[in-house]
Amino acid sequence: MTLREAFTAMNTTADLRLPFAVRPLTPRLGAELSGVVLADDMSDDTFGAIYAAFLRYQVLLFPPQDVPPARQVAFARRFGEVQIHVMNQYHADGFPELYRLSNLDDNGRPNGRHPDKGTLEWHTDGSWSRVSGQATIIYGEVMPETGGETHFCDMYEAYERLTPAWKARIAGLRAVHNLNFSRTRRHGEDPMTEEQRRAKPPVDQPIVRTHPETGRKCIYLGDHAESIVGMPYAEGRALIEELNALAVHADLTYEHRWTPRELILWDNRCVMHRATAYDPATQGRVIRRCTVLGEVPV
Ligand SMILES: [Fe+2]
């Protein structure tokens, strides 16, 4: 099955050729794919159909199953080169491609510390890198009883909903994305080292990007965006805050309440996401994440 055939099939009501069942999670974005064993070797046909669903639905959920670290990395590599995150203290399971966020101590008890409060703000993974994040793939190992959800918002439709005046105002503007800014401004814990800062200096990215595969325009901003190129700092900050808020709509958002051992992947090029808070003193939350490198946004 070609990508186009799979894509077409997913837009029809019944299709027996797909190697999985598709259950849309909202009318606009998100779908659960059932019937894929992610720990098994995957045929090119199955991967092609998953990739088509990834482009169509933007967020894919796979029901609870065992996905060992090596299989998660192998699955991520089907999408492309996998990011080795500059914050190397989070690397996990012997794979520099994996990034673990955990609030459990060595005895498996909650330690009271949130591992990355930056995740609580709407953002897109890897926008602070010239080559930004394509897919992010998260496996949920331990999930809290309450909180710790992940929310996803569709940035294609967010762009479409901007007024003509807003579209004209931001056309051609570029934002400077800076991991050191987003990491330190709200939380100030575990700051980047000098070496990490040198490895990932700020980069400018278009505020409106065109998805390289679907050809659709979307808002590309989020919490890593610090300033606007050619604009006074305070003015740029105000514009970023205003547009980040305008971009999020309840009816364009899928809110996922996790069950342990689920896997979710999403397209960072057209989706913003955030995690919700939980009590890190009483509840455990452990996820491991891979982000696939994509392309330089245009
Ligand atoms: Fe993220």
Side-chain angles (χ1 to χ4, degrees):
M1 179 162 38
T2 66
L3 270 181
R4 179 163 295 283
E5 284 167 347
F7 189 86
T8 304
M10 268 170 257
N11 285 292
T12 61
T13 49
D15 182 79
L16 301 176
R17 295 171 301 165
L18 286 175
F20 43 74
V22 178
R23 180 177 69 86
L25 296 168
T26 75
R28 288 195 178 271
L29 87 162
E32 182 180 46
L33 305 189
S34 306
V36 180
V37 180
L38 292 164
D40 287 353
D41 288 337
M42 187 179 289
S43 70
D44 289 344
D45 274 359
T46 296
F47 181 74
I50 289 173
Y51 200 86
F54 165 73
L55 294 179
R56 160 67 182 84
Y57 292 103
Q58 306 166 250
V59 179
L60 298 181
L61 166 67
F62 294 86
Q65 58 190 290
D66 287 327
V67 185
R71 302 308 302 182
Q72 183 179 1
V73 173
F75 183 50
R77 285 192 182 130
R78 300 294 293 263
F79 288 79
E81 185 186 348
V82 181
Q83 175 198 64
I84 309 293
H85 202 286
V86 65
M87 304 295 283
N88 48 9
Q89 64 269 43
Y90 293 99
H91 293 173
D93 300 305
F95 290 94
E97 297 93 339
L98 288 178
Y99 184 93
R100 172 175 277 117
L101 291 177
S102 170
N103 70 321
L104 298 184
D105 65 19
D106 290 343
N107 298 313
R109 285 191 293 262
N111 62 18
R113 288 193 305 276
H114 193 293
D116 186 354
K117 290 181 186 165
T119 60
L120 301 172
E121 307 297 332
W122 287 101
H123 67 283
T124 170
D125 288 341
S127 65
W128 38 264
S129 189
R130 177 61 67 205
V131 175
S132 63
Q134 180 223 40
T136 291
I137 301 172
I138 283 186
Y139 184 69
E141 293 184 352
V142 176
M143 284 296 163
E145 299 265 308
T146 54
E149 298 178 1
T150 307
H151 296 176
F152 303 92
C153 191
D154 171 11
M155 290 298 107
Y156 289 131
E157 185 63 19
Y159 176 74
E160 293 305 321
R161 290 191 187 181
L162 292 176
T163 62
W166 260 105
K167 286 181 181 172
R169 184 178 172 195
I170 62 175
L173 287 185
R174 298 181 70 83
V176 176
H177 293 244
N178 181 357
L179 179 59
N180 189 45
F181 164 77
S182 50
R183 197 162 171 90
T184 54
R185 75 177 171 127
R186 289 200 178 92
H187 13 97
E189 296 172 5
D190 197 10
M192 294 175 81
T193 64
E194 181 63 38
E195 190 181 356
Q196 288 168 339
R197 285 202 299 274
R198 264 204 310 274
K200 285 295 167 191
V203 295
D204 59 299
Q205 310 280 23
I207 290 183
V208 180
R209 79 180 284 186
T210 302
H211 193 290
E213 295 180 275
T214 65
R216 298 176 65 193
K217 284 185 174 179
C218 41
I219 296 175
Y220 191 66
L221 206 57
D223 193 55
H224 298 306
E226 177 176 10
S227 59
I228 304 289
V229 176
M231 194 176 281
Y233 188 84
E235 194 182 329
R237 285 290 334 132
L239 189 150
I240 289 167
E241 299 279 1
E242 194 175 355
L243 191 54
N244 274 339
L246 265 180
V248 175
H249 300 261
D251 68 321
L252 302 182
T253 299
Y254 169 60
E255 300 184 355
H256 186 67
R257 192 169 153 59
W258 287 83
T259 298
R261 300 163 60 244
E262 287 174 328
L263 183 140
I264 296 188
L265 75 95
W266 68 88
D267 189 341
N268 283 296
R269 300 168 294 185
C270 54
V271 168
M272 283 209 298
H273 64 283
R274 69 171 176 188
T276 65
Y278 65 98
D279 181 0
T282 60
Q283 307 262 309
R285 188 174 191 270
V286 182
I287 61 162
R288 60 175 134 89
R289 187 184 89 183
C290 269
T291 298
V292 179
L293 294 175
E295 47 282 300
V296 175
V298 290

Coordinates of all heavy atoms in Angstrom, one line a residue, residues 122-202:
W122 N 2.7 25.3 26.9 CA 2.5 24.9 25.6 C 3.8 25.1 24.8 O 4.4 26.2 24.8 CB 1.4 25.7 24.9 CG 0.1 25.3 25.3 CD1 -0.7 26.0 26.2 CD2 -0.7 24.2 24.9 NE1 -1.9 25.3 26.4 CE2 -2.0 24.2 25.6 CE3 -0.5 23.1 24.0 CZ2 -3.0 23.3 25.4 CZ3 -1.5 22.2 23.9 CH2 -2.7 22.3 24.5
H123 N 4.3 24.0 24.1 CA 5.5 24.1 23.3 C 5.5 23.1 22.2 O 4.7 22.3 22.1 CB 6.7 23.9 24.3 CG 6.8 22.5 24.8 ND1 6.0 22.1 25.9 CD2 7.6 21.5 24.5 CE1 6.3 20.8 26.1 NE2 7.2 20.4 25.3
T124 N 6.6 23.2 21.4 CA 6.8 22.2 20.4 C 8.2 21.7 20.6 O 9.2 22.5 20.8 CB 6.5 22.7 19.0 OG1 6.9 21.8 18.0 CG2 7.1 24.1 18.7
D125 N 8.5 20.4 20.6 CA 9.8 19.8 21.0 C 10.8 20.2 19.9 O 10.6 20.1 18.7 CB 9.7 18.3 21.1 CG 8.9 17.9 22.3 OD1 8.8 18.7 23.2 OD2 8.5 16.7 22.3
G126 N 12.0 20.6 20.5 CA 13.1 20.9 19.6 C 13.1 22.1 18.8 O 13.9 22.3 17.9
S127 N 12.1 23.0 19.0 CA 12.1 24.2 18.2 C 13.3 25.1 18.5 O 13.6 26.0 17.7 CB 10.8 25.0 18.5 OG 10.8 25.5 19.8
W128 N 14.1 24.8 19.5 CA 15.3 25.6 19.9 C 16.5 25.1 19.1 O 17.6 25.6 19.3 CB 15.6 25.5 21.4 CG 15.2 24.1 22.0 CD1 14.1 23.7 22.6 CD2 16.1 22.9 21.9 NE1 14.1 22.4 22.9 CE2 15.3 21.9 22.5 CE3 17.4 22.7 21.4 CZ2 15.9 20.6 22.7 CZ3 17.9 21.4 21.6 CH2 17.1 20.4 22.2
S129 N 16.3 24.2 18.2 CA 17.4 23.7 17.4 C 17.1 24.0 15.9 O 16.0 24.0 15.5 CB 17.5 22.1 17.6 OG 18.6 21.6 17.0
R130 N 18.2 24.3 15.2 CA 18.0 24.7 13.8 C 17.2 23.6 13.1 O 16.2 23.9 12.4 CB 19.4 24.9 13.1 CG 19.3 25.2 11.7 CD 18.6 26.5 11.4 NE 19.2 27.7 11.9 CZ 18.6 28.8 12.1 NH1 17.3 28.9 11.9 NH2 19.2 29.9 12.6
V131 N 17.7 22.3 13.2 CA 16.9 21.2 12.7 C 15.9 20.8 13.9 O 16.4 20.4 14.9 CB 17.8 20.0 12.3 CG1 16.9 18.8 11.9 CG2 18.7 20.4 11.2
S132 N 14.6 21.1 13.7 CA 13.7 21.0 14.8 C 13.1 19.6 14.9 O 13.5 18.7 14.1 CB 12.6 22.0 14.6 OG 11.9 21.7 13.4
G133 N 12.3 19.3 15.9 CA 11.7 18.0 16.1 C 10.6 17.7 15.1 O 9.8 18.5 14.8
Q134 N 10.7 16.5 14.6 CA 9.6 16.0 13.8 C 8.6 15.2 14.7 O 7.7 15.8 15.2 CB 10.2 15.1 12.7 CG 9.2 14.5 11.7 CD 9.5 13.0 11.4 OE1 9.8 12.3 12.3 NE2 9.3 12.7 10.1
A135 N 8.8 13.9 14.8 CA 7.9 13.2 15.7 C 8.5 13.1 17.1 O 9.7 13.0 17.3 CB 7.7 11.7 15.2
T136 N 7.7 13.2 18.1 CA 8.1 12.8 19.5 C 7.3 11.5 19.8 O 6.1 11.4 19.5 CB 7.8 13.9 20.5 OG1 8.7 15.0 20.3 CG2 8.0 13.4 21.9
I137 N 8.0 10.6 20.4 CA 7.4 9.3 20.8 C 7.6 9.1 22.3 O 8.7 9.0 22.8 CB 8.1 8.2 20.0 CG1 8.0 8.4 18.5 CG2 7.5 6.8 20.4 CD1 8.8 7.5 17.6
I138 N 6.5 9.1 23.0 CA 6.6 8.9 24.5 C 6.0 7.6 24.9 O 4.9 7.2 24.4 CB 5.8 10.1 25.2 CG1 6.6 11.3 25.2 CG2 5.5 9.7 26.7 CD1 6.0 12.5 26.0
Y139 N 6.7 6.9 25.8 CA 6.1 5.7 26.4 C 5.9 6.0 27.8 O 6.8 6.5 28.5 CB 7.1 4.5 26.2 CG 6.6 3.2 26.7 CD1 5.6 2.5 26.1 CD2 7.2 2.6 27.9 CE1 5.1 1.3 26.6 CE2 6.8 1.4 28.3 CZ 5.7 0.8 27.7 OH 5.2 -0.4 28.1
G140 N 4.7 5.7 28.3 CA 4.4 6.0 29.7 C 4.7 4.8 30.6 O 4.0 3.7 30.4
E141 N 5.7 4.9 31.5 CA 6.0 3.8 32.4 C 5.1 3.8 33.6 O 4.6 2.8 34.0 CB 7.5 3.8 32.7 CG 8.4 3.5 31.5 CD 9.9 3.5 31.9 OE1 10.2 3.8 33.1 OE2 10.7 3.1 31.0
V142 N 5.1 4.9 34.3 CA 4.4 5.1 35.5 C 3.5 6.4 35.4 O 4.1 7.4 34.9 CB 5.3 5.2 36.7 CG1 4.5 5.5 38.0 CG2 6.2 4.0 36.9
M143 N 2.3 6.3 35.7 CA 1.4 7.5 35.6 C 0.7 7.8 36.9 O 0.3 6.9 37.6 CB 0.4 7.3 34.4 CG 1.0 7.4 33.1 SD 1.7 9.0 32.8 CE 2.7 8.7 31.4
P144 N 0.5 9.1 37.2 CA -0.2 9.4 38.4 C -1.7 9.1 38.3 O -2.2 9.0 37.2 CB 0.1 10.9 38.5 CG 0.4 11.4 37.2 CD 1.0 10.2 36.4
E145 N -2.3 9.0 39.5 CA -3.7 8.8 39.5 C -4.5 10.0 39.0 O -5.5 9.9 38.3 CB -4.2 8.5 41.0 CG -3.6 7.3 41.6 CD -4.4 6.1 41.4 OE1 -5.6 6.2 41.8 OE2 -4.0 5.1 40.9
T146 N -4.0 11.2 39.4 CA -4.6 12.4 38.9 C -3.5 13.4 38.4 O -2.4 13.4 39.0 CB -5.3 13.2 40.1 OG1 -4.4 13.3 41.2 CG2 -6.5 12.4 40.6
G147 N -3.8 14.1 37.4 CA -2.9 15.0 36.8 C -1.9 14.3 35.9 O -2.0 13.1 35.6
G148 N -0.9 15.1 35.4 CA 0.1 14.5 34.6 C -0.4 14.1 33.2 O 0.1 13.2 32.5
E149 N -1.5 14.8 32.8 CA -2.0 14.5 31.4 C -1.1 15.1 30.4 O -0.3 16.0 30.7 CB -3.5 15.1 31.3 CG -4.4 14.5 32.3 CD -5.8 15.1 32.2 OE1 -6.0 16.0 31.3 OE2 -6.7 14.7 33.0
T150 N -1.4 14.8 29.1 CA -0.7 15.5 28.0 C -1.8 16.1 27.1 O -2.7 15.3 26.8 CB 0.3 14.6 27.2 OG1 1.2 14.0 28.2 CG2 1.1 15.4 26.3
H151 N -1.7 17.3 26.8 CA -2.6 18.0 25.9 C -2.0 18.4 24.6 O -0.8 18.8 24.6 CB -3.2 19.3 26.6 CG -3.9 19.0 27.8 ND1 -4.4 20.1 28.6 CD2 -4.3 17.9 28.4 CE1 -5.1 19.5 29.7 NE2 -5.0 18.2 29.6
F152 N -2.7 18.2 23.5 CA -2.2 18.5 22.2 C -3.1 19.5 21.5 O -4.4 19.3 21.6 CB -2.2 17.2 21.4 CG -1.4 16.1 22.0 CD1 -2.0 15.2 22.8 CD2 0.0 16.0 21.8 CE1 -1.2 14.1 23.4 CE2 0.8 15.0 22.4 CZ 0.2 14.1 23.2
C153 N -2.6 20.4 20.8 CA -3.4 21.4 20.1 C -3.0 21.5 18.6 O -1.8 21.5 18.3 CB -3.4 22.7 20.7 SG -4.7 23.8 20.1
D154 N -4.0 21.5 17.7 CA -3.8 21.5 16.3 C -3.4 22.9 15.8 O -4.2 23.9 15.8 CB -5.1 21.1 15.6 CG -5.1 21.2 14.1 OD1 -4.1 21.5 13.5 OD2 -6.2 21.1 13.5
M155 N -2.1 23.0 15.3 CA -1.6 24.4 14.9 C -2.0 24.7 13.4 O -1.8 25.8 13.0 CB -0.1 24.5 15.1 CG 0.3 24.5 16.5 SD -0.4 26.0 17.4 CE -1.6 25.3 18.4
Y156 N -2.5 23.7 12.6 CA -3.0 24.0 11.3 C -4.2 24.9 11.4 O -4.3 26.0 10.8 CB -3.4 22.8 10.5 CG -2.4 21.8 10.1 CD1 -2.5 20.4 10.4 CD2 -1.3 22.2 9.3 CE1 -1.6 19.5 9.9 CE2 -0.4 21.3 8.8 CZ -0.5 19.9 9.1 OH 0.3 19.0 8.7
E157 N -5.2 24.4 12.2 CA -6.4 25.1 12.3 C -6.3 26.4 13.1 O -7.0 27.3 12.8 CB -7.5 24.2 12.9 CG -8.9 24.7 12.9 CD -9.5 25.0 11.6 OE1 -9.0 24.5 10.5 OE2 -10.5 25.8 11.5
A158 N -5.3 26.3 14.0 CA -5.1 27.5 14.8 C -4.7 28.7 13.9 O -5.1 29.8 14.0 CB -4.0 27.3 15.9
Y159 N -3.9 28.3 12.9 CA -3.4 29.3 11.9 C -4.7 29.8 11.1 O -4.9 31.0 10.9 CB -2.3 28.8 11.0 CG -2.0 29.8 9.9 CD1 -1.3 31.0 10.2 CD2 -2.4 29.7 8.6 CE1 -1.0 31.9 9.3 CE2 -2.1 30.6 7.6 CZ -1.4 31.7 8.0 OH -1.1 32.7 7.0
E160 N -5.4 28.8 10.6 CA -6.6 29.2 9.8 C -7.6 30.1 10.5 O -8.2 31.0 9.9 CB -7.4 27.9 9.4 CG -6.6 27.0 8.4 CD -6.1 27.8 7.2 OE1 -6.8 28.6 6.6 OE2 -5.0 27.5 6.8
R161 N -7.6 30.0 11.8 CA -8.6 30.8 12.6 C -8.1 32.2 12.9 O -8.8 33.0 13.5 CB -8.9 30.1 13.9 CG -9.8 28.9 13.7 CD -10.3 28.4 15.0 NE -11.0 27.1 14.8 CZ -11.6 26.4 15.7 NH1 -11.6 26.9 17.0 NH2 -12.3 25.3 15.5
L162 N -6.8 32.5 12.6 CA -6.4 33.9 12.8 C -7.1 34.8 11.9 O -7.4 34.5 10.8 CB -4.9 33.9 12.6 CG -3.9 33.2 13.5 CD1 -2.5 33.3 13.0 CD2 -4.0 33.7 14.9
T163 N -7.3 36.0 12.4 CA -7.9 37.0 11.5 C -7.0 37.4 10.4 O -5.7 37.2 10.5 CB -8.2 38.3 12.3 OG1 -7.0 38.8 12.8 CG2 -9.2 38.0 13.5
P164 N -7.5 37.9 9.3 CA -6.6 38.4 8.2 C -5.6 39.4 8.7 O -4.4 39.4 8.3 CB -7.5 39.0 7.2 CG -8.8 38.3 7.4 CD -8.9 38.0 8.9
A165 N -6.0 40.2 9.7 CA -5.0 41.2 10.3 C -3.9 40.5 11.0 O -2.7 40.9 10.8 CB -5.7 42.1 11.2
W166 N -4.2 39.5 11.8 CA -3.1 38.7 12.4 C -2.2 38.0 11.4 O -1.0 38.0 11.6 CB -3.7 37.7 13.4 CG -3.7 38.2 14.8 CD1 -4.8 38.6 15.5 CD2 -2.6 38.2 15.7 NE1 -4.4 39.0 16.8 CE2 -3.1 38.7 16.9 CE3 -1.2 37.9 15.6 CZ2 -2.2 38.9 18.0 CZ3 -0.4 38.1 16.7 CH2 -0.9 38.6 17.9
K167 N -2.8 37.4 10.4 CA -2.0 36.7 9.4 C -1.0 37.7 8.8 O 0.1 37.4 8.5 CB -2.9 36.0 8.4 CG -3.6 34.8 8.9 CD -4.4 34.1 7.8 CE -5.1 32.9 8.4 NZ -6.1 32.3 7.5
A168 N -1.5 38.9 8.5 CA -0.7 39.9 7.8 C 0.4 40.4 8.8 O 1.6 40.6 8.4 CB -1.5 41.1 7.4
R169 N 0.0 40.5 10.1 CA 1.0 41.0 11.1 C 2.2 40.0 11.2 O 3.3 40.5 11.4 CB 0.2 41.1 12.4 CG 1.0 41.7 13.5 CD 0.1 41.9 14.7 NE 0.9 42.3 15.9 CZ 0.5 42.2 17.1 NH1 -0.8 41.8 17.4 NH2 1.2 42.6 18.1
I170 N 1.9 38.7 11.2 CA 3.0 37.8 11.5 C 3.7 37.2 10.2 O 4.7 36.5 10.3 CB 2.5 36.6 12.4 CG1 1.4 35.8 11.7 CG2 2.1 37.2 13.7 CD1 1.0 34.6 12.5
A171 N 3.1 37.5 9.0 CA 3.7 37.0 7.8 C 5.2 37.4 7.7 O 5.5 38.5 7.8 CB 2.9 37.5 6.6
G172 N 6.0 36.4 7.5 CA 7.4 36.7 7.4 C 8.2 36.9 8.7 O 9.4 37.0 8.6
L173 N 7.5 37.0 9.8 CA 8.2 37.2 11.1 C 9.0 35.9 11.5 O 8.5 34.8 11.3 CB 7.3 37.7 12.2 CG 6.7 39.1 12.1 CD1 5.9 39.4 13.4 CD2 7.9 40.1 12.0
R174 N 10.1 36.2 12.2 CA 10.8 35.0 12.7 C 11.0 35.2 14.2 O 11.3 36.3 14.7 CB 12.2 34.9 12.0 CG 12.1 34.6 10.5 CD 13.4 34.5 9.8 NE 14.1 33.3 10.2 CZ 13.9 32.1 9.6 NH1 13.0 32.0 8.7 NH2 14.6 31.0 10.0
A175 N 10.9 34.1 14.9 CA 11.0 34.1 16.4 C 12.3 33.5 16.8 O 12.7 32.5 16.1 CB 9.9 33.4 17.1
V176 N 13.0 34.0 17.8 CA 14.2 33.4 18.3 C 13.8 32.4 19.4 O 13.2 32.8 20.4 CB 15.2 34.5 18.9 CG1 16.4 33.8 19.5 CG2 15.6 35.5 17.8
H177 N 14.2 31.1 19.1 CA 13.9 30.1 20.1 C 15.1 29.8 20.9 O 16.2 29.6 20.3 CB 13.4 28.8 19.4 CG 12.0 29.0 18.7 ND1 10.9 28.3 19.1 CD2 11.6 29.8 17.7 CE1 9.9 28.6 18.3 NE2 10.3 29.5 17.5
N178 N 15.0 29.6 22.2 CA 16.1 29.5 23.1 C 15.8 28.6 24.2 O 15.0 29.0 25.1 CB 16.5 31.0 23.6 CG 17.7 31.0 24.4 OD1 18.3 30.0 24.8 ND2 18.1 32.2 24.8
L179 N 16.4 27.5 24.2 CA 16.1 26.5 25.3 C 16.5 27.0 26.7 O 15.9 26.8 27.7 CB 16.9 25.2 25.0 CG 16.7 24.0 26.0 CD1 15.3 23.6 26.2 CD2 17.6 22.8 25.7
N180 N 17.6 27.8 26.7 CA 18.1 28.3 28.0 C 17.1 29.3 28.6 O 16.8 29.4 29.8 CB 19.4 29.0 27.8 CG 20.0 29.3 29.2 OD1 20.0 28.5 30.1 ND2 20.5 30.6 29.3
F181 N 16.4 30.0 27.7 CA 15.4 31.0 28.1 C 14.2 30.2 28.7 O 13.7 30.5 29.8 CB 14.9 31.8 26.9 CG 13.6 32.5 27.1 CD1 13.5 33.7 27.9 CD2 12.4 32.1 26.5 CE1 12.3 34.3 28.1 CE2 11.2 32.7 26.7 CZ 11.2 33.8 27.5
S182 N 13.6 29.3 27.9 CA 12.4 28.6 28.4 C 12.7 27.8 29.6 O 11.8 27.6 30.5 CB 11.8 27.7 27.3 OG 12.8 26.9 26.7
R183 N 13.9 27.3 29.7 CA 14.2 26.4 30.8 C 14.4 27.2 32.1 O 14.1 26.7 33.2 CB 15.5 25.7 30.5 CG 15.7 24.5 31.4 CD 16.6 23.5 31.0 NE 16.8 22.6 32.1 CZ 16.0 21.5 32.3 NH1 15.1 21.1 31.5 NH2 16.2 20.8 33.4
T184 N 14.9 28.4 32.0 CA 15.2 29.1 33.3 C 14.2 30.2 33.7 O 14.1 30.5 34.8 CB 16.6 29.8 33.2 OG1 16.6 30.6 32.0 CG2 17.7 28.8 33.1
R185 N 13.4 30.6 32.8 CA 12.6 31.9 33.1 C 11.5 31.6 34.1 O 11.2 32.5 34.9 CB 12.1 32.6 31.9 CG 10.9 31.9 31.3 CD 10.4 32.7 30.1 NE 9.4 32.0 29.4 CZ 8.2 32.5 29.1 NH1 7.9 33.7 29.5 NH2 7.3 31.8 28.4
R186 N 10.9 30.4 34.1 CA 9.8 30.2 35.0 C 10.2 29.4 36.2 O 9.5 29.4 37.2 CB 8.6 29.5 34.3 CG 7.9 30.4 33.3 CD 6.6 29.9 33.0 NE 5.9 30.8 32.1 CZ 5.9 30.7 30.8 NH1 6.6 29.7 30.2 NH2 5.2 31.5 30.0
H187 N 11.2 28.5 36.0 CA 11.4 27.5 37.1 C 12.8 27.6 37.7 O 12.9 27.5 38.9 CB 11.1 26.1 36.5 CG 11.0 26.1 35.0 ND1 12.0 25.7 34.2 CD2 10.0 26.4 34.2 CE1 11.7 25.8 32.9 NE2 10.4 26.2 32.9
G188 N 13.8 27.9 36.9 CA 15.1 28.1 37.4 C 15.8 26.9 38.1 O 16.7 27.1 38.8
E189 N 15.2 25.7 37.9 CA 15.9 24.6 38.5 C 16.7 23.8 37.5 O 16.4 23.8 36.3 CB 14.8 23.6 39.0 CG 13.9 24.2 40.1 CD 12.7 23.3 40.4 OE1 12.6 22.2 39.9 OE2 11.9 23.7 41.2
D190 N 17.8 23.3 38.0 CA 18.7 22.5 37.1 C 19.0 23.2 35.8 O 18.7 22.7 34.7 CB 18.0 21.1 36.8 CG 19.0 20.1 36.3 OD1 20.2 20.3 36.3 OD2 18.5 19.0 35.8
P191 N 19.6 24.4 35.9 CA 19.9 25.1 34.7 C 20.9 24.4 33.7 O 21.6 23.5 34.1 CB 20.5 26.4 35.2 CG 21.1 26.1 36.5 CD 20.2 25.0 37.1
M192 N 20.9 24.9 32.5 CA 21.8 24.3 31.5 C 23.2 24.7 31.9 O 23.5 25.8 32.4 CB 21.5 24.9 30.1 CG 20.2 24.5 29.6 SD 19.9 25.3 28.0 CE 20.8 24.3 26.8
T193 N 24.2 23.8 31.7 CA 25.6 24.1 31.9 C 26.1 25.0 30.8 O 25.5 25.1 29.7 CB 26.4 22.8 31.9 OG1 26.4 22.2 30.6 CG2 25.9 21.8 33.0
E194 N 27.2 25.6 31.0 CA 27.9 26.4 30.0 C 28.1 25.6 28.7 O 27.8 26.1 27.6 CB 29.2 26.9 30.6 CG 30.0 27.8 29.7 CD 29.2 29.1 29.4 OE1 28.6 29.6 30.3 OE2 29.3 29.6 28.3
E195 N 28.5 24.4 28.9 CA 28.7 23.6 27.7 C 27.4 23.3 26.9 O 27.4 23.3 25.7 CB 29.4 22.3 28.2 CG 29.9 21.4 27.0 CD 30.5 20.1 27.5 OE1 30.6 19.9 28.8 OE2 30.9 19.3 26.7
Q196 N 26.4 23.0 27.7 CA 25.1 22.8 27.0 C 24.6 24.0 26.3 O 24.0 23.9 25.2 CB 24.1 22.3 28.1 CG 24.3 20.8 28.6 CD 23.5 20.5 29.8 OE1 23.0 21.3 30.5 NE2 23.4 19.2 30.0
R197 N 24.8 25.1 26.9 CA 24.3 26.4 26.3 C 25.1 26.7 25.0 O 24.6 27.1 24.0 CB 24.5 27.6 27.3 CG 23.4 27.6 28.4 CD 23.3 29.0 28.9 NE 24.5 29.5 29.6 CZ 24.9 29.2 30.8 NH1 24.1 28.5 31.6 NH2 26.0 29.7 31.3
R198 N 26.4 26.4 25.1 CA 27.2 26.6 23.9 C 26.8 25.7 22.8 O 26.8 26.0 21.6 CB 28.7 26.4 24.2 CG 29.5 27.6 24.5 CD 31.0 27.5 24.3 NE 31.5 26.3 24.9 CZ 31.9 26.2 26.2 NH1 31.9 27.3 26.9 NH2 32.4 25.1 26.7
A199 N 26.4 24.4 23.1 CA 26.0 23.4 22.1 C 24.7 23.8 21.4 O 24.5 23.4 20.3 CB 25.9 22.0 22.8
K200 N 23.9 24.5 22.2 CA 22.6 24.9 21.6 C 22.3 26.4 21.7 O 21.5 26.8 22.6 CB 21.4 24.1 22.3 CG 21.4 22.6 21.8 CD 21.1 22.5 20.3 CE 21.3 21.1 19.8 NZ 21.3 21.1 18.3
P201 N 22.9 27.2 20.9 CA 22.7 28.6 21.0 C 21.3 28.9 20.4 O 20.7 28.1 19.7 CB 23.8 29.2 20.1 CG 24.1 28.1 19.1 CD 23.9 26.8 19.9
P202 N 20.7 30.1 20.7 CA 19.4 30.5 20.2 C 19.4 30.4 18.7 O 20.4 30.7 18.0 CB 19.2 31.9 20.7 CG 20.1 32.1 21.8 CD 21.3 31.2 21.5

